[in-house]
Amino acid sequence: MSFNNFGLSAALLRAVNEQGYDTPTPVQAQAIPAVLEGGDIMAAAQTGTGKTAGFTLPMLELLSRNAPKGHARPVRALILTPTRELTAQVQESVNTYGRYLPLRSMVIFGGVGMQPQVQKLRRGVDILVATPGRLLDHMRQRTVDLSQVEILVLDEADRMLDMGFIHDIRKVISALPKQRQTLLFSATFSDEIRKLASGMLNQPTQIEVARRNTAAEMVTQVVHPVSRDSKRGLLSKLVSEGNWQQVLVFTRTKHGADRLARQLEQDGLGAAAIHGNKSQAARTRALAQFKQGKVRLLVATDIAARGLDIEQLPHVVNFDLPSVPEDYVHRIGRTGRAGYGGKALSLVCVDEGKLLRDIERVLNKSIEKQVVAGFEPDPAERAQPLFKKPMGRRPAPGGGRRPQRGRPASAAGRR
Ligand code: AMP
């Protein structure tokens, strides 16, 4: 199987070739011909499967085949994604693969001024890559016209639903022509996604490239049981002694990400934090520093990390376990990408026991536990119930009520 078999134009093949890809990934092998035939697709594919090229290449091919005559430049393709980062990355792919085609694209996301976007829209673009909220702002102000859209892509649809974009998505779709091609990509297919899909897709080709959670199987996973207060010390030790140079660290909250990055800096390890409260410029700068190796650790919340395209990441650390088990799978999917092995470590303290069991249930396997010498969990913590039980049933050793360390996961704000 080669990219030459799809009937893509020489301009696209040249760009693909320059990327050094010779074999289409499984999702590309299925999605590219299906999209070129003009039908709708519904694809279960996670980040790291090559899904972006899977929809971008045939989309560019179709747009360039039917280029409109004259000077008018209506928006003909709309790609909706959940986050600013993903928006920027998808556009980067559109630019890369479309390098030799006369098509214009732009990104639309919130947190930056409207006016530059308005001006750019006015000059005319063929392809919009947008987050739903800001796109709706433009629709309300009538600064964007979506009446000529031929192709709609929903990328990471499950994540958009998780983030509460369902109403925004429906509003955007109601402004699009009924006659259009719709491509829906989602890591998982929940009932909610199927419901969304049934209303907007027309006899879609279903594409399933790999069983859910396969990313998890390529990655070496280990749990280090440790006291909450010793997590940072253990992380610093592992990074220093292992001489790890590029580590993506997940925390559950934005505040936790900031604090940990500061503390790691104090330990003499270059670290930056990336989360939704940071300005776009700060996030872009942190990611660039991390990619260039100027900082060794990037501390991120789940939403901020979603869609970050960092290739061959060798180490992912769960400083806190995520409150949703599927997020664990997304997180560790950041390592071991495109066939490279990777290592995912989780620093798990006593009040995360239930989260760990939920994750192991989703993975359908137990994760190896390794206690690191010098970082054994406090024996008193080990004897504590995993979650607070009604008082009096199981007193903590010593009989007294120990102050609770950390917060029970169920009370922790998500991200
Ligand atoms: P995605 O799942 O779209 O985020 O892509 C994951 C990574 O795979 C990206 O860094 C792409 O550059 C890379 N990639 C996409 N298609 C191919 C291919 N056919 N061969 C090798 N790498 C690829």
Side-chain angles (χ1 to χ4, degrees):
M1 188 62 170
S2 119
F3 281 98
N4 297 328
N5 301 127
F6 296 127
L8 296 171
S9 66
L12 281 171
L13 288 176
R14 184 173 166 201
V16 168
N17 198 25
E18 285 176 3
Q19 287 304 295
Y21 307 162
D22 41 31
T23 316
T25 65
V27 69
Q28 292 163 0
Q30 294 183 60
I32 294 173
V35 177
L36 289 176
E37 274 175 23
D40 287 357
I41 67 170
M42 176 163 166
Q46 293 172 334
T47 307
T49 53
K51 67 184 166 68
T52 317
F55 62 76
T56 306
L57 289 170
M59 175 194 80
L60 290 169
E61 175 71 30
L62 292 177
L63 294 177
S64 64
R65 276 186 202 166
N66 321 315
K69 312 258 179 309
H71 291 296
R73 218 170 181 134
V75 177
R76 296 167 60 213
L78 171 64
I79 304 171
L80 289 179
T81 82
T83 63
R84 316 179 217 191
E85 279 78 13
L86 195 60
T87 302
Q89 280 166 21
V90 169
Q91 194 212 15
E92 205 178 301
S93 292
V94 169
N95 285 343
T96 302
Y97 305 130
R99 177 173 297 159
Y100 302 110
L101 293 173
L103 294 167
R104 264 193 237 156
S105 68
M106 79 172 273
V107 289
I108 286 194
F109 50 67
V112 294
M114 284 285 273
Q115 212 44 42
Q117 295 178 351
V118 171
Q119 280 160 9
K120 213 162 173 188
L121 281 167
R122 218 176 271 149
R123 287 198 289 273
V125 282
D126 306 279
I127 302 156
L128 270 191
V129 191
T131 51
R134 176 54 70 92
L135 182 63
L136 268 183
D137 293 340
H138 282 284
M139 289 165 62
R140 286 192 198 104
Q141 297 190 16
R142 300 188 189 283
T143 44
V144 67
D145 174 8
L146 299 177
S147 66
Q148 308 290 312
V149 168
E150 298 161 27
I151 302 175
L152 167 69
V153 182
L154 293 165
D155 192 16
E156 308 211 350
D158 50 345
R159 196 38 69 124
M160 287 199 276
L161 295 195
D162 283 353
M163 290 170 70
F165 287 144
I166 180 78
H167 296 297
D168 290 355
I169 292 173
R170 289 196 190 283
K171 271 186 222 150
V172 171
I173 289 177
S174 67
L176 303 179
K178 293 249 166 341
Q179 189 76 355
R180 57 160 202 272
Q181 189 173 8
T182 306
L183 320 176
L184 182 144
F185 286 78
S186 188
T188 55
F189 276 104
S190 60
D191 290 346
E192 215 184 349
I193 290 280
R194 288 186 193 282
K195 206 166 120 199
L196 175 74
S198 69
M200 53 179 272
L201 296 176
N202 180 16
Q203 300 185 325
T205 304
Q206 303 228 2
I207 295 175
E208 185 127 24
V209 284
R211 220 159 30 79
R212 244 175 95 184
N213 307 337
T214 3
E217 282 154 23
M218 299 200 29
V219 177
T220 311
Q221 299 169 67
V222 63
V223 162
H224 293 308
V226 62
S227 302
R228 174 164 290 283
D229 294 346
S230 304
K231 281 187 176 188
R232 194 247 305 190
L234 177 55
L235 176 59
S236 291
K237 173 192 159 83
L238 292 169
V239 172
S240 309
E241 293 188 357
N243 197 22
W244 299 349
Q245 293 303 323
Q246 210 184 25
V247 191
L248 180 61
V249 183
F250 286 95
T251 60
R252 209 153 45 210
T253 64
K254 300 170 192 172
H255 179 63
D258 276 334
R259 190 178 46 212
L260 180 60
R262 264 198 319 273
Q263 292 171 335
L264 290 166
E265 284 278 344
Q266 284 163 11
D267 288 347
L269 299 167
I274 186 165
H275 56 67
N277 284 3
K278 297 251 172 188
S279 69
Q280 186 56 32
R283 292 204 233 177
T284 309
R285 194 168 52 239
L287 181 60
Q289 288 177 329
F290 184 61
K291 281 191 170 183
Q292 292 158 10
K294 290 186 184 150
V295 298
R296 285 163 83 173
L297 296 113
L298 186 66
V299 187
T301 54
D302 289 281
I303 288 183
R306 184 75 181 160
L308 288 183
D309 185 19
I310 309 163
E311 284 174 69
Q312 305 168 36
L313 201 54
H315 293 100
V316 167
V317 173
N318 295 303
F319 191 81
D320 302 312
L321 286 183
S323 40
V324 179
E326 280 75 11
D327 281 345
Y328 176 87
V329 179
H330 288 304
R331 287 178 177 189
I332 71 166
R334 314 321 314 258
T335 176
R337 306 182 70 179
Y340 295 92
K343 196 160 181 191
L345 329 174
S346 303
L347 310 185
V348 177
C349 65
V350 67
D351 56 15
E352 293 173 305
K354 181 178 181 302
L355 298 177
L356 180 59
R357 285 196 298 278
D358 289 346
I359 288 166
E360 291 182 325
R361 198 171 310 127
V362 167
L363 296 174
N364 203 17
K365 68 173 186 184
S366 118
I367 306 173
E368 188 188 337
K369 321 281 178 308
Q370 285 174 6
V371 174
V372 178
F375 288 88
E376 295 83 1
D378 183 344
E381 260 194 26
R382 243 182 286 167
Q384 252 196 335
L386 291 175
F387 279 93
K388 248 173 110 183
K389 296 250 166 64
M391 284 298 291
R393 290 238 186 105
R394 238 175 104 178
R401 182 181 174 188
R402 285 170 51 84
Q404 199 193 356
R405 289 179 138 179
R407 289 184 297 166
S410 55
R414 252 194 105 181
R415 297 154 190 139

